Amino acid sequence: MAAITNSLSLKHTLSIGSPQTNLLTRTRPSSTSLSFRTFHRCYASYANENREYVIVGGGNAAGYAARTFVEHGVADGRLCIVTKEGVAPYERPALTKAYLFPPDKKPARLPGFHTCVGSGGERQTPEWYKEKGIEMLYEDPVENIDTEKQTLTTSSGKLLKYGSLIIATGCTASRFPDKIGGNLPGVHYVRDVADADALVSSLEKTKKVVVVGGGYIGMEIAAAAVAWKLDTTIIFPEDHLLQRLFTPSLARRYEELYQKNGVKILKGASIKSLEASSNGNGGVASVKLGDGSIVEADTVIIGIGAKPAVGPFERVGLNTDVGGIQVDGLFRTSIPGIFAVGDVAAFPLKIYSRISRVEHVDHARRSAQHCVKALLSAQTNTYDYLPYFYSRVFEYEGSPRKVWWQFFGDNVGETVEIGNFDPKIATFWIESGKLKGVLVESGSPEEFQLLPELARRQPPIDKAKLQNATSVEEALDIARESLQAAV
């Protein structure tokens, strides 16, 4: 999902050092001392035939890691992917966008969005993995790891051997407790294709939808529900939509857009419970708020964030401040031969000198590629990620206005907002006289291409001059001039 989490914090980080590099040497069979064929025979008793490299997880990071292995010519007969899902890795952002569109709005479906089409690459269907000699173990999550013996045990009891292990398990959706109705029929959480299928089935027969959560998930799902022409309400406890990123002024523009599309917004509201129907089917019938008021609903979607899916890998070493598995700038954990990438990795965010954990598809792709390149080559450059987030809503066929924004950098300091949202708007974050982050809604391709350069170089900028800009185009020209002046 494009920016698939509400637990993502752009500001909540800890400035600490990387893991001790002397503990993080790579371990994999040597082509000079032990041939792969001999290695294969030595471990013939293990369930995975391709055991030199093992990836645990079946999301974006796994798909892009697989492509990088193929690009280095070492996938065929040497790579195994273990996933709890029943399908090959896919571009997860689609699940809260086009996947949820009604049949007459051209919904997305597999195999259309298998990785790596999201970045313009070849579509990696199940047949692609077979052709590349990559062993896929579906619907069999890992439940235990023995780091001394370098083995994994799956839920079905399979024993897998690895030489190098990449943990790409992503996140799991935060859930409401059962005691307040979090598991009632008609209550949905969206993290995988099965979840999205179940939600589509509910949308086909529902009349009133409540979306809990005002972040990426909530905004994208509510926009998709509009395409079904359903009675839709968003409920969240914060003061405004996407509070982790949007300014109050920017959020107000989006809230007005949703309301124009018929979506009711209840902000600053707490939820006491989800109430079951009294007609005997036991399904959800309403949402009871903290003030005692009732919102009727026969479908409720919970989008209140996510938690890193560390599972049996806690012993590998966790970061207690941002969550997830602690890694260094090459995605090495504290245990030689074990790596972690994507949503589950707590890594050094080099540009801001702090440790972060980023739940976003762009980071999943890039971290996987960087990790595999470091594992397979002499590359020693540390990961230098620039935070990037985006969302697209109301993109269904016939929508009066399709919305797509992009943000690069850090949302710290003072803000300057330029534009009236219709047709476009931009927000600039300035700290100590330097441009730290920028968001543009409805920008042109050329304007979007400028944003990462601005955020990475952080040029000094004249705030007063920027405030006097009469359009987004003029503001971006001022920012572009600041780049040239800083050379």
Side-chain angles (χ1 to χ4, degrees):
M1 284 161 272
I4 60 176
T5 179
N6 297 328
S7 68
L8 169 64
S9 174
L10 299 177
K11 299 176 182 176
H12 177 57
T13 50
L14 178 67
S15 297
I16 62 176
S18 302
Q20 294 297 313
T21 54
N22 62 342
L23 296 177
L24 300 171
T25 55
R26 291 177 298 192
T27 59
R28 58 187 176 97
S30 168
S31 59
T32 56
S33 61
L34 180 63
S35 71
F36 178 69
R37 187 170 298 176
T38 302
F39 183 75
H40 179 93
R41 286 199 301 267
C42 288
Y43 298 108
S45 61
Y46 295 104
N48 57 321
E49 295 181 358
N50 309 324
R51 67 191 61 80
E52 189 172 356
Y53 305 104
V54 172
I55 300 170
V56 177
N60 283 88
Y64 282 78
R67 181 174 74 173
T68 311
F69 273 108
V70 169
E71 290 170 348
H72 283 75
V74 296
D76 193 2
R78 300 165 71 179
L79 174 63
C80 174
I81 298 178
V82 190
T83 173
K84 67 179 181 180
E85 293 196 58
V87 297
Y90 53 88
E91 302 287 352
R92 203 172 296 274
L95 297 181
T96 52
K97 299 182 181 67
Y99 201 95
L100 298 182
F101 293 170
D104 63 331
K105 304 297 185 185
K106 299 181 180 179
R109 290 291 180 268
L110 291 173
F113 58 99
H114 280 297
T115 60
C116 295
V117 294
S119 61
E122 180 182 7
R123 182 178 290 109
Q124 296 174 191
T125 62
E127 292 71 27
W128 182 91
Y129 290 91
K130 291 179 182 177
E131 292 169 0
K132 303 302 181 183
I134 299 171
E135 184 178 13
M136 297 291 299
L137 300 181
Y138 296 108
E139 299 181 293
D140 202 5
V142 171
E143 291 195 345
N144 191 42
I145 179 173
D146 187 323
T147 57
E148 294 295 323
K149 295 180 180 179
Q150 293 182 255
T151 58
L152 305 168
T153 305
T154 69
S155 61
S156 70
K158 290 186 177 71
L159 187 63
L160 313 177
K161 183 71 178 178
Y162 65 86
S164 294
L165 171 66
I166 298 176
I167 303 167
T169 46
C171 286
T172 58
S174 296
R175 303 177 70 90
F176 273 13
D178 288 354
K179 64 182 180 181
I180 66 167
N183 202 35
L184 288 174
V187 176
H188 297 267
Y189 306 83
V190 182
R191 287 298 300 185
D192 56 35
V193 165
D195 292 337
D197 284 339
L199 177 54
V200 169
S201 295
S202 279
L203 294 176
E204 290 173 344
K205 54 182 179 289
T206 196
K207 293 182 179 179
K208 295 185 177 181
V209 173
V210 165
V211 180
V212 180
Y216 292 99
I217 299 290
M219 291 180 68
E220 292 176 357
I221 291 177
V226 168
W228 292 81
K229 299 179 180 179
L230 301 175
D231 182 327
T232 304
T233 303
I234 303 180
I235 301 173
F236 51 91
E238 294 85 10
D239 295 330
H240 58 76
L241 285 173
L242 200 56
Q243 189 157 309
R244 294 179 184 273
L245 176 59
F246 286 176
T247 64
S249 175
L250 182 61
R252 177 174 54 81
R253 312 289 187 126
Y254 285 93
E255 289 168 8
E256 290 172 353
L257 175 66
Y258 275 75
Q259 289 166 338
K260 286 180 181 178
N261 278 275
V263 178
K264 294 182 284 293
I265 298 176
L266 297 179
K267 49 189 174 182
S270 63
I271 293 178
K272 184 175 182 180
S273 62
L274 307 180
E275 301 294 316
S277 170
S278 58
N279 64 8
N281 66 12
V284 67
S286 63
V287 178
K288 187 174 184 179
L289 303 183
D291 62 5
S293 59
I294 297 292
V295 181
E296 293 183 349
D298 41 17
T299 293
V300 175
I301 305 103
I302 311 295
I304 56 172
K307 299 178 290 186
V310 294
F313 302 110
E314 287 188 11
R315 69 192 68 179
V316 173
L318 303 183
N319 182 294
T320 57
D321 293 282
V322 300
I325 298 170
Q326 182 68 56
V327 297
D328 69 357
L330 298 178
F331 297 97
R332 301 175 296 188
T333 70
S334 60
I335 299 178
I338 301 181
F339 304 76
V341 297
D343 295 6
V344 78
F347 66 97
L349 190 56
K350 184 178 178 179
I351 189 172
Y352 302 129
S353 301
R354 65 196 189 205
I355 298 297
S356 186
R357 192 177 59 80
V358 176
E359 297 173 8
H360 192 268
V361 62
D362 181 64
H363 165 64
R365 295 167 179 165
R366 294 178 185 273
S367 62
Q369 292 167 326
H370 194 97
C371 173
V372 175
K373 288 177 182 177
L375 170 61
L376 299 178
S377 69
Q379 172 184 287
T380 58
N381 297 329
T382 58
Y383 188 56
D384 189 9
Y385 185 67
L386 175 66
Y388 161 55
F389 306 96
Y390 74 92
S391 187
R392 303 195 306 269
V393 293
F394 299 111
E395 283 196 310
Y396 55 86
E397 191 174 283
S399 170
R401 183 181 176 193
K402 300 176 182 179
V403 173
W404 183 16
W405 58 262
Q406 292 190 26
F407 167 84
F408 285 87
D410 205 9
N411 61 331
V412 294
E414 301 175 275
T415 59
V416 175
E417 183 180 287
I418 304 296
N420 60 5
F421 192 71
D422 188 6
K424 64 173 62 175
I425 197 168
T427 303
F428 300 84
W429 282 262
I430 302 170
E431 185 181 55
S432 302
K434 291 186 176 182
L435 184 59
K436 290 289 187 176
V438 57
L439 179 148
V440 172
E441 161 60 48
S442 300
S444 68
E446 293 75 22
E447 289 169 342
F448 284 143
Q449 288 173 8
L450 175 64
L451 306 190
E453 187 177 6
L454 290 171
R456 183 168 289 283
R457 292 177 56 185
Q458 303 174 41
I461 194 163
D462 187 329
K463 178 184 173 183
K465 187 176 181 180
L466 192 63
Q467 288 174 321
N468 289 328
T470 58
S471 67
V472 171
E473 289 82 1
E474 183 182 348
L476 290 173
D477 283 341
I478 293 170
R480 187 181 290 106
E481 291 169 2
S482 72
L483 277 177
Q484 297 168 350
V487 175

